[in-house]
């Protein structure tokens, strides 16, 4: 009998092979043991409440309620095994462990977003072309599986951003240079280009492409070379070179599209990713780990002592360097001594490394 990995649906038993029929017979023969085994596995994964509430008593000491429950379990044993098996099948643990390959998303589209009236602006196409050149020089491109980006849909952008904001960004495609400059003034350290909406949507779609392939075990992990960055973009506006918060949308997409319940976002940069933090700081399902310089960014919310509300307490961790010139050993220490223990305790289903600027 075959089961689809994602939907958990079953095919008709008419198509069962002899091997599958034999397997079903064995399942029936040891039904109590199998239910206990599946129960234990699901309990460890926090996906199931124990059917016997974790208590094993002698049958002679069972209450009428417990005997009635046992009778119901026997009466629907085959359906129960099917349901439990489907839950385990949806996890697809063996397939995920066997996933291989690192996906790489890049396209020339990410060079099209550029400052219309100040070509020397530091947030320029050179940022992605330099990265790709270095990857090629180091011989890493040949070890990656290329993945083509796509534009994010309107609904996907709305997973994080407000509709009025998305509509304004969409309207920039037909604006004149003077109109773009006027609109840019409404935001902080932002410039807009007639192709900014398309490029920014493609940056989001690039991450969603990787999420889909990793979650379906086509790839083990992925790396995206995209721009503009997104760590400062908030739900209702852009800021500091960022238009759409690609990582935030990707995290929410994984939760909505792939039923992920726990996400870890690791972000490091000289300044603080306040956009991503503000989006998730009241959300207990997302752990945001951020490394930045407190000498560069001195907002209260970027301080190491910042704490979210009780509902999401401990889900925002700021590592704020109090001096400049931190080296590889400092970052290695932060990752191994702080991040790794937290990640092991949290056991995220998706790990996303944020914008590196």
């Amino acid at each position: 009998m075959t089961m689809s990995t994602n939907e958990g649906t079953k095919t008709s038993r008419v198509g069962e092979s002899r091997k599958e029929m034999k397997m079903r017979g064995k399942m029936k023969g040891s039904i109590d043991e199998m239910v206990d085994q599946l129960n234990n596995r699901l309990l460890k994964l926090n996906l199931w409440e124990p059917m016997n509430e974790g208590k094993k008593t002698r049958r002679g000491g069972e209450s009428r309620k417990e005997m009635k429950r046992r009778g119901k379990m026997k009466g629907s044993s085959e359906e129960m095994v099917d349901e439990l098996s489907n839950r385990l099948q949806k996890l697809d643990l063996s397939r995920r462990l066997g996933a291989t390959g690192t996906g790489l998303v890049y396209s020339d589209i990410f060079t099209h977003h550029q400052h219309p009236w100040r070509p020397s602006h530091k947030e320029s196409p050179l940022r992605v072309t330099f990265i790709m050149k270095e990857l090629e020089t180091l011989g890493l491109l040949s070890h990656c599986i290329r993945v083509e980006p796509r534009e994010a849909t309107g609904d996907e952008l709305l997973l994080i951003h407000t509709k009025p904001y998305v509509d304004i960004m969409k309207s920039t495609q037909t604006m004149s240079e003077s109109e773009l400059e006027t609109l840019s003034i409404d935001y902080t350290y932002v410039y807009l280009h007639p192709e900014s909406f398309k490029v920014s949507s493609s940056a989001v779609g690039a991450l969603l492409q990787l999420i889909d392939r990793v979650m379906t075990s086509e790839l083990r992990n992925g790396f995206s070379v995209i721009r503009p960055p997104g760590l400062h973009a908030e739900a209702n506006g852009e800021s500091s070179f960022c238009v759409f918060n690609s990582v935030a949308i990707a995290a929410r997409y994984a939760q909505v599209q792939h039923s992920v319940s726990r996400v870890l976002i690791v972000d490091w940069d000289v300044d603080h990713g306040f956009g991503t933090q503000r989006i998730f700081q009241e959300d207990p399902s997302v752990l945001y780990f951020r490394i930045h310089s407190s000498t560069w960014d001195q907002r209260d919310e970027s301080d190491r002592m910042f704490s979210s509300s009780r509902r999401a307490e401990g889900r925002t961790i700021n590592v704020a360097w109090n001096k400049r010139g931190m080296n590889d050993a400092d970052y290695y220490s932060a990752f191994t001594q702080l991040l790794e223990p937290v990640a092991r305790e949290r056991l995220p289903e998706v790990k996303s490394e944020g914008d590196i600027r």
Side-chain angles (χ1 to χ4, degrees):
M1 180 180 68
T2 60
M3 300 183 185
S4 69
T5 301
N6 294 323
E7 303 298 330
T9 55
K10 302 179 292 183
T11 61
S12 171
R13 293 184 190 174
V14 175
E16 287 183 339
S17 66
R18 182 176 298 176
K19 183 178 180 180
E20 289 169 329
M21 292 174 67
K22 187 176 181 180
M23 185 185 302
R24 177 171 289 277
K26 289 182 178 180
M27 287 169 64
K28 288 181 179 179
S30 57
I31 189 66
D32 288 336
E33 293 81 357
M34 189 167 200
V35 167
D36 288 340
Q37 183 181 3
L38 292 173
N39 246 335
N40 289 334
R41 292 181 69 181
L42 289 168
L43 277 171
K44 289 178 181 179
L45 294 165
N46 295 321
L47 293 176
W48 190 261
E49 290 296 324
M51 294 178 185
N52 56 9
E53 301 178 352
K55 299 178 182 179
K56 290 187 178 181
T57 60
R58 292 182 297 108
R59 294 198 182 182
E62 286 182 339
S63 66
R64 181 174 298 177
K65 183 178 180 180
E66 289 170 329
M67 291 175 67
K68 187 176 181 181
R69 183 191 304 154
R70 180 175 290 278
K72 288 183 179 180
M73 286 172 63
K74 286 185 176 180
S76 59
S77 58
E78 188 171 329
E79 291 81 359
M80 192 182 304
V81 168
D82 284 342
E83 182 181 354
L84 293 172
S85 296
N86 283 339
R87 289 194 176 208
L88 288 175
Q89 189 74 17
K90 286 181 180 179
L91 294 175
D92 199 20
L93 299 178
S94 60
R95 188 179 174 195
R96 289 192 186 182
L97 290 173
T100 60
T102 294
L104 173 67
V105 184
Y106 174 73
S107 169
D108 287 340
I109 185 67
F110 300 119
T111 66
H112 295 188
H113 171 74
Q114 49 192 314
H115 206 301
W117 53 92
R118 210 171 89 200
S120 60
H121 194 279
K122 61 183 178 180
E123 209 300 283
S124 73
L126 287 174
R127 302 178 73 179
V128 290
T129 56
F130 179 82
I131 292 173
M132 291 302 294
K133 184 178 180 180
E134 281 295 295
L135 291 176
E136 184 175 9
T137 300
L138 295 171
L140 295 176
L141 289 181
S142 60
H143 295 284
C144 298
I145 300 171
R146 295 298 292 267
V147 177
E148 289 300 314
R150 65 170 175 84
E151 288 187 56
T153 66
D155 287 341
E156 289 165 347
L157 297 176
L158 292 174
L159 288 173
I160 292 295
H161 297 289
T162 63
K163 191 175 187 304
Y165 174 61
V166 173
D167 289 343
I168 289 174
M169 290 301 103
K170 192 171 183 178
S171 69
T172 60
Q173 297 176 100
T174 57
M175 288 185 181
S176 65
E177 184 174 309
S178 61
E179 290 174 324
L180 291 170
E181 185 172 4
T182 299
L183 179 60
S184 298
I185 296 174
D186 292 339
Y187 301 100
T188 307
Y189 301 117
V190 170
Y191 69 80
L192 292 168
H193 181 276
E195 289 194 66
S196 291
F197 178 80
K198 182 176 182 179
V199 178
S200 301
S201 298
S202 297
V204 174
L207 288 186
L208 304 189
Q209 290 282 73
L210 290 178
I211 289 290
D212 285 337
R213 283 159 174 74
V214 170
M215 293 306 300
T216 56
S217 302
E218 293 179 47
L219 296 170
R220 182 175 178 81
N221 50 40
F223 181 73
S224 60
V225 184
I226 57 177
R227 55 179 294 275
L231 72 167
H232 298 307
E234 299 184 56
N236 61 352
E238 54 187 331
S239 178
S240 299
F241 317 151
C242 304
V243 179
F244 296 131
N245 198 314
S246 305
V247 168
I249 295 172
R252 190 66 79 212
Y253 177 84
Q255 293 179 321
V256 172
Q257 191 69 20
H258 296 283
S259 301
V260 167
S261 59
R262 300 179 304 279
V263 176
L264 167 63
I265 298 176
V266 181
D267 203 350
W268 68 95
D269 189 4
V270 67
D271 55 354
H272 182 249
F274 58 84
T276 307
Q277 178 172 308
R278 289 172 184 171
I279 288 169
F280 293 120
Q281 65 186 19
E282 303 301 326
D283 185 346
S285 70
V286 177
L287 173 60
Y288 182 59
F289 185 95
R290 173 73 191 181
I291 301 178
H292 58 277
S293 172
S294 62
T295 63
W296 180 274
D297 193 318
Q298 299 180 354
R299 295 181 181 88
D300 289 342
E301 62 190 323
S302 68
D303 188 77
R304 64 183 180 85
M305 298 301 292
F306 174 83
S307 179
S308 303
S309 66
R310 180 172 296 182
R311 178 173 178 267
E313 189 175 5
R315 297 297 189 267
T316 297
I317 300 175
N318 282 314
V319 179
W321 301 129
N322 59 6
K323 64 179 182 180
R324 300 191 179 190
M326 310 307 287
N327 57 34
D328 289 349
D330 297 312
Y331 280 88
Y332 179 80
S333 178
F335 288 141
T336 57
Q337 302 302 312
L338 295 175
L339 173 60
E340 188 173 338
V342 170
R344 288 185 181 278
E345 179 182 350
R346 181 75 174 140
L347 290 175
E349 294 171 275
V350 170
K351 297 179 283 293
S352 175
E353 296 181 356
D355 298 288
I356 307 169
R357 304 198 303 123

